[in-house]
Amino acid sequence: MTAVNGKGSAISLPISIRNVTKTYGTFTALDNVSLEIASGEFITLLGPSGSGKTTLLMVLAGFIRPASGEVRFGDRDVSLLPPHKRDVGMVFQNYALFPHMTVAGNVGYPLRLRGVAKSEIADRVQKVLALVQLGELGTRNIDQLSGGQRQRVALARAIVFEPRILLMDEPLSALDKKLREQMQIEVRHLHQRLGMTTVYVTHDQREALTMSDRVAVIDKGRFHQIGSPRDVYERPESRFIAEFIGESHLVAVSMRGGTAHYRDRPLQLAEPPRHPSGQQFLVMRPEKLKLLTGGEDGLNVFEGTAREIVYQGESTLLYVDLPDDVEVAIRQPATNVGPALPAPGTPVRLGLPAGDTMLVPAERAP
Amino acid sequence: MTTTSLADEVGRRDHAAWKAPNEAAYRRRERSETTVLAALAVPGLLLIGAIALTPIAWLFWLSFRSGSDFTFEHYERLLHPTYTLTLQTTFELSFLVTAICIALGYPLAYLISQVRPRLAGFLLLLVLFPVWTSLLVRCYAWLVLLQRRGVVNSWLQDMGLIDAPLRLMHNFTGTTIGMVHIMLPFMVLPLYATMRSLNRDYMRAAANLGASPVKAFWGVFVPLSFPGLFAGIIIVFVLCLGFYVTPALLGGGRVMMWSMQIERNVTYHSDWGAASALGVVLLAMTLAILWGVGRLIGFDRIVGGR
Amino acid sequence: MLRRPATETQITHGGRLWLYVLGGLTLLFLILPSLLVIPLSFSDSRYLAFPPPGWSTRWYEAYFDAIEWRDATAMSFTAATLTMVISTALGTLAAYGMHTSQSRFTQLAYATFMLPLIIPGILIAIGIFLLYAHLGLNNTLTGIVLAHSVMAIPLVVILVASSFKSYDMNQEMVARSLGASRPWAFLTVTLPQIKTSVISAALLAFITSLDEVVISLFIAGGDKATLTRRMFNALRDEIDPTIAAISTLLILISVFLLGLTQLLQRSPSQQPTPGNEPSPRQSAKA
């Protein structure tokens, strides 16, 4: 199998999406979106439901024809190519396994379509089933499989014909949390081994951060930020991104002479605001905040009143009221050592390291 | 590979350059695919259009013709007592048959919806059996049962309930019995489909809120089964209005239905004008009932109840 | 037993006795008359008394000896088979097209397909009679098959369309993404999964044609008379016991076909998959 050779241009293709627009009546599902995906890249389209992420995936697969725009796989314009000629593997949210075929029948289906010799089909099906750790289950019927096994069969079926592009539409959303996290790692490893360009759709931001080389955050048919997981999490470009990815509380700040001020106190910033026009907000992530007991070097300090302690097992959240009805939260790892959290009603001081102090605009500049 | 922030803004600059040709191509492709798929329905539609609908349009035209003139005479003739009496019989019989079907069908459907699934499947099979049995076979069976020296009469006499054989067929009674037998499954099946899909939580909630079983049944179950009931009523009533075979056989010519007047005018008198006018009125009544009920409760619910 | 609760709301079986009795009697009313014909067909008497005074197969002999009955039977079966083929093909294609096409005419097309069920049969019958008189199609096999197909196609459309409702179209999309053209995806993935409904629809089309009376009365005369037309005319004249024999055979065919549809529905390949609700096919048969 050539696909198991590792990364390389022969087994993957870059994708270029240019100015794709799709409307349904007055509803704009995709609003002139463009995206360049590198060969072999694992990119995740992340967005809330109805954001257009699945629509874009369906455009790539050829099931939805955009109103305008262009899609290229490598040098080839595939905009008008029907789905069955695109040679992309696809995994659907509900797996869509064929119940009238066995596991091996399902996985062998794309090979039979391509006129591969019978003996070779058996061989390749066996290999790919071993790859997804289902080596023994080829003769099983679909209804005898667990949810996780179905997921693996769907994956095996989508990669058995060695497509250079793999599309996945929320493939893990039907699994329970534990299995989902395990499969995230497995899919990631599989991608590292096979190396095909992978476009992955999810509404789960943690999943997106875990799996991807790059995350493209999409909402209302437009990309709001495209970047590495770390970039998207650590350096959100807008209020929407900061709130959608991870947990954060936003605190309004005022700009005076190029410097951000919180309640007339200047703030030390990690970098100047990237979209300085309009109202700016300070991104306060619970795990970045520190409960101050003494020194405050290199920290922006906020004073407030402890309101409520929420025990969450591996950590504890302390909600703090800042002046002007602003609420923030601070996360403390759950240990039995160290100082107890302040009781509700007592004044607290919070510190945010300068390197973690980010500003986002209310709305991203148009 | 750089971090493409604001990627769409970059794209927008060269947007105009190639947008136009692509857009047209997409639209063409979209249209052609939709057309090809829609075209799959065309052979069937053509057949129905040519064989069933065209002649009906023709009949409509004929109903206004006398020789080469336009006329209302065929419709005026329908006011003659012969026809009004037929109309009355047709409606009386249709109402009666529908009412009996409700009386027998509702308890049966309720029973089937309440028993264990395996038993329900078997009982449903018994309801389906008549549907799959030839209409003529069933009419024949009733002819045999109801005739003067037939099974029913001889049993009743043997049991000493009657002295002389009753007149059970070639009259209104026989026709009613035969038609109920034919129509009953069409009442039971939509009723059962609705009842089975009813969420049992409603009944649990009613009981939990203090309703007695009888109150819960009349206050909750029955209203929720209305879609199936309406569907059954419509199907049965409309089928009754245009029914021909059973009244013709079991009525023995003494029960004159609207459909039989149509047949007579064609076979005995070759009077296409009268037959067409009768047919147009029958069709209009059928469509009016369907349309009226459709407006009242939504046509989807009738179809959905099936 | 009678004191045990029958429902969650604690009505006992005893309290529902009337329901069981009424339901049972209604079921007997539905099936018994047809079944009674079977012993009668083996009577040796002209008068159809029950129980029959003696047994014989003379009415079966009468049926098989009569050339006109044999011809009519052959005619009916030929017409039913051809009707089944035509209406199953056209109806399935139409149901698929209407299900997948985004065309806004879909609703209208579906309504049109239902018209032959809504329009009173007698009206369709005289209409076709009038049309065929001009086309020279009266008393021809072609004419009978086309007319019967018009009556059977709506039933096929209803059955197949209802099976699409519970079928996960994603499967066809997945097949296409894996490299199957649309027709091939339909044949290899969709059709095997809706085959129960398609076969049921075919059987229903067959029985619809076999049992069709009103249209055949007008358009199937002379040497092209169908079984039902001969039976109808015989019944109008007298209660001929030969018809008991024919009826018995027709009942057997009905039971066989109905049994076949039930067996098909229980075959393992039709087990519902997650996300697929089992469809209420039973009820669509009406």
Side-chain angles (χ1 to χ4, degrees):
Chain A
M1 281 176 81
T2 53
V4 200
N5 290 343
K7 286 203 181 191
S9 61
I11 50 162
S12 64
L13 276 176
I15 300 173
S16 113
I17 300 162
R18 293 182 193 165
N19 302 79
V20 167
T21 294
K22 174 71 189 172
T23 53
Y24 294 101
T26 57
F27 174 71
T28 304
L30 292 174
D31 185 5
N32 192 25
V33 298
S34 298
L35 179 64
E36 297 292 329
I37 302 169
S39 180
E41 188 179 12
F42 193 120
I43 191 164
T44 298
L45 304 179
L46 172 66
S49 61
S51 58
K53 57 188 191 302
T54 299
T55 307
L56 183 54
L57 197 75
M58 291 296 168
V59 168
L60 292 181
F63 292 116
I64 290 178
R65 214 162 277 117
S68 62
E70 185 186 62
V71 176
R72 283 175 179 276
F73 295 166
D75 296 333
R76 190 172 178 208
D77 182 351
V78 298
S79 305
L80 291 171
L81 211 58
H84 66 280
K85 291 186 178 154
R86 294 200 177 194
D87 257 335
V88 297
M90 181 148 185
V91 181
F92 282 72
Q93 186 170 10
N94 64 353
Y95 316 143
L97 297 177
F98 307 140
H100 60 300
M101 299 180 190
T102 60
V103 168
N106 266 277
V107 178
Y109 184 79
L111 298 178
R112 291 200 296 281
L113 288 173
R114 285 164 177 78
V116 177
K118 256 200 171 137
S119 56
E120 196 191 336
I121 290 180
D123 197 41
R124 284 171 69 176
V125 166
Q126 199 46 50
K127 268 188 193 152
V128 79
L129 282 178
L131 196 65
V132 296
Q133 300 167 31
L134 288 177
E136 311 302 308
L137 302 182
T139 55
R140 286 269 183 99
N141 282 328
I142 298 307
D143 52 15
Q144 295 170 295
L145 300 181
S146 69
Q149 287 168 334
R150 284 172 200 225
Q151 213 287 320
R152 287 161 206 254
V153 175
L155 190 57
R157 186 177 61 178
I159 60 177
V160 70
F161 61 105
E162 297 165 16
R164 291 187 282 186
I165 292 168
L166 179 62
L167 307 176
M168 303 174 96
D169 183 12
E170 309 218 20
L172 306 180
S173 61
L175 304 179
D176 63 55
K177 187 168 181 291
K178 234 179 173 155
L179 192 55
R180 192 163 65 228
E181 283 169 2
Q182 183 193 336
M183 286 303 298
Q184 286 169 5
I185 305 295
E186 266 184 50
V187 170
R188 182 88 184 119
H189 287 168
L190 207 62
H191 172 254
Q192 281 161 0
R193 241 178 116 176
L194 302 179
M196 70 274 274
T197 311
T198 303
V199 183
Y200 189 100
V201 161
T202 185
H203 64 270
D204 180 342
Q205 40 103 5
R206 183 179 284 273
E207 189 165 289
L209 298 178
T210 307
M211 302 180 75
S212 332
D213 293 329
R214 268 200 306 163
V215 178
V217 187
I218 187 170
D219 186 45
K220 297 195 175 77
R222 313 191 58 182
F223 287 126
H224 285 242
Q225 188 169 356
I226 303 167
S228 70
R230 183 171 291 274
D231 194 46
V232 170
Y233 187 84
E234 304 281 350
R235 303 169 70 215
E237 285 191 18
S238 69
R239 185 179 175 156
F240 169 74
I241 302 284
E243 286 183 323
F244 184 65
I245 297 179
E247 208 176 331
S248 60
H249 294 266
L250 296 172
V251 177
V253 298
S254 52
M255 299 297 292
R256 253 173 272 147
T259 319
H261 289 72
Y262 170 70
R263 292 178 70 79
D264 292 336
R265 212 183 304 162
L267 292 167
Q268 313 170 48
L269 298 180
E271 58 179 61
R274 278 179 284 180
H275 305 287
S277 59
Q279 172 72 57
Q280 298 289 314
F281 290 91
L282 186 56
V283 183
M284 307 270 251
R285 297 211 188 267
E287 76 281 6
K288 305 279 191 198
L289 284 167
K290 291 181 169 38
L291 205 51
L292 292 185
T293 47
E296 42 195 64
D297 287 349
L299 296 177
N300 295 306
V301 178
F302 304 88
E303 287 168 340
T305 314
R307 182 159 55 81
E308 191 176 5
I309 297 171
V310 178
Y311 179 71
Q312 291 186 327
E314 84 288 353
S315 64
T316 307
L317 269 186
L318 171 67
Y319 285 94
V320 174
D321 287 329
L322 298 185
D324 303 332
D325 279 339
V326 177
E327 178 197 76
V328 296
I330 163 168
R331 186 181 296 283
Q332 295 286 89
T335 67
N336 291 326
V337 296
L341 288 171
T346 55
V348 290
R349 296 174 72 229
L350 305 175
L352 184 64
D356 287 330
T357 306
M358 306 296 304
L359 293 186
V360 294
E363 286 298 324
R364 209 193 52 185
Chain B
M1 182 177 78
T2 57
T3 306
T4 2
S5 64
L6 313 183
D8 49 0
E9 286 174 33
V10 180
R12 188 170 283 171
R13 262 178 262 133
D14 55 356
H15 186 63
W18 42 268
K19 178 180 165 183
N22 239 9
E23 236 172 83
Y26 281 134
R27 261 206 310 277
R28 258 201 315 279
R29 192 62 69 88
E30 182 99 41
R31 254 205 311 274
S32 82
E33 184 161 302
T34 305
T35 312
V36 166
L37 288 170
L40 294 176
V42 168
L45 286 175
L46 278 182
L47 194 62
I48 287 174
I51 305 290
L53 305 184
T54 312
I56 285 172
W58 192 351
L59 290 176
F60 186 75
W61 188 74
L62 282 180
S63 74
F64 292 105
R65 306 296 292 185
S66 173
S68 56
D69 302 326
F70 178 87
T71 176
F72 280 116
E73 68 174 86
H74 305 303
Y75 289 96
E76 280 158 15
R77 247 196 298 164
L78 298 187
L79 297 172
H80 189 272
T82 324
Y83 291 117
T84 50
L85 200 64
T86 305
L87 190 65
Q88 194 189 335
T89 311
T90 306
F91 268 91
E92 274 173 12
L93 197 55
S94 300
F95 275 121
L96 184 63
V97 168
T98 309
I100 299 176
C101 280
I102 296 171
L104 293 179
Y106 198 94
L108 181 56
Y110 181 65
L111 176 63
I112 300 177
S113 75
Q114 297 289 306
V115 299
R116 292 188 307 277
R118 282 184 73 93
L119 182 58
F122 175 71
L123 296 182
L124 210 57
L125 212 56
L126 296 185
V127 177
L128 279 173
F129 167 69
V131 180
W132 282 70
T133 311
S134 166
L135 185 59
L136 283 181
V137 170
R138 292 194 280 160
C139 289
Y140 175 71
W142 283 111
L143 283 174
V144 172
L145 284 169
L146 298 177
Q147 62 181 310
R148 203 172 157 71
R149 289 149 185 268
V151 176
V152 172
N153 266 324
S154 58
W155 280 358
L156 288 175
Q157 272 177 307
D158 289 351
M159 284 189 284
L161 290 173
I162 51 169
D163 299 326
L166 293 176
R167 198 175 168 79
L168 294 171
M169 58 176 247
H170 290 170
N171 61 12
F172 202 78
T173 315
T175 312
T176 310
I177 295 175
M179 279 175 71
V180 168
H181 187 239
I182 307 294
M183 295 300 166
L184 191 50
F186 297 114
M187 179 65 77
V188 174
L189 293 174
L191 263 176
Y192 168 72
T194 306
M195 288 178 180
R196 189 186 54 174
S197 68
L198 284 191
N199 193 333
R200 280 183 184 231
D201 285 346
Y202 291 125
M203 290 303 275
R204 289 186 191 132
N208 177 259
L209 294 172
S212 70
V214 174
K215 272 206 174 124
F217 176 78
W218 288 106
V220 177
F221 190 88
V222 171
L224 286 174
S225 68
F226 276 166
L229 186 63
F230 283 138
I233 291 174
I234 296 310
I235 295 167
V236 169
F237 192 78
V238 162
L239 285 178
C240 280
L241 275 189
F243 210 22
Y244 174 76
V245 176
T246 304
L249 288 175
L250 286 163
R254 287 187 187 81
V255 181
M256 190 53 70
M257 295 281 281
W258 200 253
S259 55
M260 293 159 72
Q261 293 284 14
I262 298 178
E263 188 261 350
R264 276 182 180 220
N265 272 299
V266 172
T267 7
Y268 298 136
H269 313 306
S270 286
D271 186 346
W272 284 96
S276 304
L278 283 159
V280 168
V281 170
L282 178 60
L283 183 61
M285 289 191 300
T286 306
L287 293 180
I289 290 170
L290 284 174
W291 181 80
V293 174
R295 284 291 298 268
L296 213 60
I297 63 170
F299 199 75
D300 285 349
R301 290 179 72 181
I302 307 178
V303 180
R306 287 189 80 163
Chain C
M1 174 71 192
L2 290 181
R3 286 166 186 279
R4 286 227 312 266
T7 67
E8 292 170 338
T9 45
Q10 306 298 313
I11 301 181
T12 60
H13 283 292
R16 283 187 153 194
L17 204 54
W18 66 271
L19 180 66
Y20 300 142
V21 171
L22 183 59
L25 287 177
T26 309
L27 280 173
L28 284 182
F29 167 74
L30 274 177
I31 53 169
L32 216 51
S34 313
L35 293 183
L36 220 57
V37 172
I38 297 173
L40 288 177
S41 70
F42 291 101
S43 169
D44 65 353
S45 156
R46 273 209 78 78
Y47 304 101
L48 293 161
F50 191 86
W55 304 97
S56 82
T57 55
R58 60 184 279 209
W59 305 115
Y60 289 89
E61 285 155 24
Y63 165 61
F64 286 113
D65 285 346
I67 183 103
E68 62 267 32
W69 281 122
R70 283 213 311 264
D71 283 353
T73 309
M75 188 64 208
S76 274
F77 274 83
T78 312
T81 307
L82 292 173
T83 300
M84 176 176 76
V85 172
I86 291 178
S87 56
T88 307
L90 295 190
T92 305
L93 273 185
Y96 180 76
M98 289 189 293
H99 185 71
T100 49
S101 173
Q102 310 285 316
S103 169
R104 62 215 131 98
F105 299 114
T106 305
Q107 286 274 341
L108 187 64
Y110 195 83
T112 309
F113 273 112
M114 293 306 110
L115 281 178
L117 295 183
I118 293 171
I119 301 170
I122 187 77
L123 193 57
I124 295 186
I126 64 167
I128 295 179
F129 179 55
L130 178 67
L131 178 75
Y132 282 7
H134 287 259
L135 298 178
L137 280 174
N138 275 325
N139 310 334
T140 65
L141 179 62
T142 314
I144 297 169
V145 169
L146 289 180
H148 284 180
S149 296
V150 163
M151 299 311 288
I153 285 174
L155 300 171
V156 176
V157 168
I158 289 180
L159 270 181
V160 178
S162 86
S163 78
F164 278 129
K165 271 186 204 148
S166 62
Y167 172 71
D168 175 16
M169 268 313 209
N170 275 345
Q171 296 202 28
E172 204 169 278
M173 281 168 78
V174 119
R176 288 163 66 205
S177 82
L178 295 173
S181 63
R182 191 153 206 156
W184 191 246
F186 174 76
L187 285 176
T188 57
V189 173
T190 305
L191 196 55
Q193 292 184 62
I194 60 163
K195 67 168 190 285
T196 305
S197 298
V198 175
I199 296 172
S200 294
L203 297 178
L204 192 61
F206 183 87
I207 203 92
T208 300
S209 167
L210 195 66
D211 291 346
E212 202 290 321
V213 184
V214 185
I215 297 176
S216 301
L217 280 182
F218 286 90
I219 66 159
D223 62 339
K224 296 291 188 288
T226 60
L227 195 55
T228 46
R229 181 190 163 112
R230 277 209 192 286
M231 282 172 75
F232 185 90
N233 287 337
L235 285 179
R236 258 214 285 224
D237 302 338
E238 50 157 350
I239 302 178
D240 180 356
T242 313
I243 294 178
I246 302 172
S247 291
T248 302
L249 297 176
L250 284 178
I251 289 173
L252 289 182
I253 292 171
S254 301
V255 170
F256 173 72
L257 293 182
L258 178 59
L260 212 56
T261 62
Q262 296 299 310
L263 277 181
L264 281 170
Q265 276 171 26
R266 280 176 201 153
S267 66
S269 70
Q270 275 301 310
Q271 273 171 11
T273 50
N276 284 8
E277 288 284 303
S279 70
R281 287 197 194 98
Q282 300 275 20
S283 56
K285 225 160 267 162

